Amino acid sequence: MSTPSSSIVARFGSLIDARKVETRTDAVVGRKSVVWRRFAVVLVLLLVVVADVRAAPPIDASDKVVDSTVIALGERPNDIVVDSDRGLVYASLTQSDEIVEVDADTGAIRTRRFFDGPAGMDMSEDGTYLYVSLNSSTGIARIALSDWSSTQVTLTELGDSRTWDVVEIAPSVVLVSANPGSGGFAYIVRYSFATTAQDRVADNSIIRAGPRFATDRTSYAYIGAGFSPNSLYQLDLDDPALPIVDEDPHGGVGGSQVLALAPD
């Protein structure tokens, strides 16, 4: 059975042949007549396309409809984390110093917990901890989701107090960024909760404009920043130094505010 697209192509080909015949008579009928006939050809082509689209079988989108709920949190969240095991969503509200816990099924706010300028967040791969960057204190918090007890750490290697994002790259090991923008300097820091060691990675590069993380936790971590010299970096997790192994061409990515990896 011919598809609508193949039908369009066949009809379009015959219309082209008709237009060639009309063009040969240009000297006889005059340019104005040919212009009107070409306009008619285009109009007929558009009608053919519309007719074929209308004749196309309807698309069943019943399994693609997404039910959505707008939840008033009080301000725009800096970051959200989905906790599928507990059926919860955590939203960080930096300005009001809150982490809001929302029921994923009903959209109801379960509770509000107070932390010092929570910004970027990440959940441990085993679902035990919530990592939170604390934008007002040069630090991060690791929160036990079983009882919300927390361990807070100050990062002296970060270079700036405006901690911005955090991501787990191995059990109890995280990467942390800061966001001074053009008003300071900041680095990417690796911190281990097991050993309390912290060090600068990513070739000791200054990456300071709202850096966000994404990682597959096995081979690579990615950093998206808000402006050049470069805005997208790839770090090699197999190398103990976590060097930059690839980055976008100068100005090739115009400010990455959110990063996510495809499932595959």
Side-chain angles (χ1 to χ4, degrees):
M1 183 178 68
S2 65
T3 63
S5 59
S6 63
S7 177
I8 290 172
V9 171
R11 298 180 195 182
F12 180 69
S14 63
L15 289 170
I16 290 296
D17 291 338
R19 190 174 69 176
K20 287 179 180 178
V21 172
E22 289 178 348
T23 304
R24 295 191 192 103
T25 64
D26 186 36
V28 178
V29 301
R31 182 177 301 277
K32 184 175 181 180
S33 176
V34 173
V35 169
W36 277 105
R37 290 181 183 181
R38 290 176 181 174
F39 172 77
V41 168
V42 174
L43 181 59
V44 171
L45 176 60
L46 289 175
L47 292 175
V48 169
V49 172
V50 171
D52 277 86
V53 170
R54 288 180 177 176
I59 298 174
D60 181 11
S62 59
D63 62 337
K64 299 178 178 61
V65 176
V66 177
D67 187 18
S68 62
T69 302
V70 177
I71 305 167
L73 299 176
E75 69 177 74
R76 180 178 177 178
N78 185 301
D79 200 5
I80 62 171
V81 168
V82 178
D83 187 343
S84 300
D85 292 340
R86 297 174 178 83
L88 298 171
V89 177
Y90 310 114
S92 60
L93 307 184
T94 306
Q95 299 303 315
S96 57
D97 298 324
E98 295 176 294
I99 296 176
V100 181
E101 185 180 294
V102 180
D103 189 299
D105 292 326
T106 67
I109 295 177
R110 295 266 299 264
T111 188
R112 295 175 180 267
R113 294 182 169 87
F114 293 91
F115 290 84
D116 191 10
M121 303 185 296
D122 190 33
M123 190 165 62
S124 62
E125 189 171 21
D126 63 6
T128 301
Y129 298 107
L130 181 67
Y131 299 102
V132 183
S133 56
L134 303 175
N135 187 247
S136 304
S137 65
T138 323
I140 55 174
R142 184 176 72 168
I143 302 167
L145 291 172
S146 58
D147 59 6
W148 279 80
S149 60
S150 65
T151 300
Q152 299 191 22
V153 178
T154 299
L155 300 174
T156 57
E157 294 294 321
L158 200 56
D160 191 271
S161 63
R162 290 160 283 192
T163 315
W164 191 244
D165 201 15
V166 59
V167 67
E168 183 187 71
I169 58 171
S172 296
V173 180
V174 296
L175 294 180
V176 187
S177 68
N179 182 31
S182 58
F185 299 96
Y187 305 87
I188 305 301
V189 172
R190 170 176 48 192
Y191 180 81
S192 169
F193 282 91
T195 66
T196 71
Q198 58 180 286
D199 63 322
R200 294 176 180 175
V201 296
D203 303 330
N204 207 37
S205 299
I206 295 171
I207 303 175
R208 58 181 177 169
R212 292 289 190 183
F213 295 113
T215 182
D216 58 13
R217 285 191 168 99
T218 57
S219 301
Y220 299 105
Y222 300 87
I223 308 168
F227 54 63
S228 294
N230 289 301
S231 298
L232 186 62
Y233 304 84
Q234 183 184 47
L235 308 186
D236 185 358
L237 298 183
D238 293 326
D239 189 319
L242 270 62
I244 296 173
V245 293
D246 199 5
E247 54 189 289
D248 74 291
H250 184 82
V253 177
S256 305
Q257 297 185 9
V258 177
L259 291 184
L261 298 182
D264 56 355

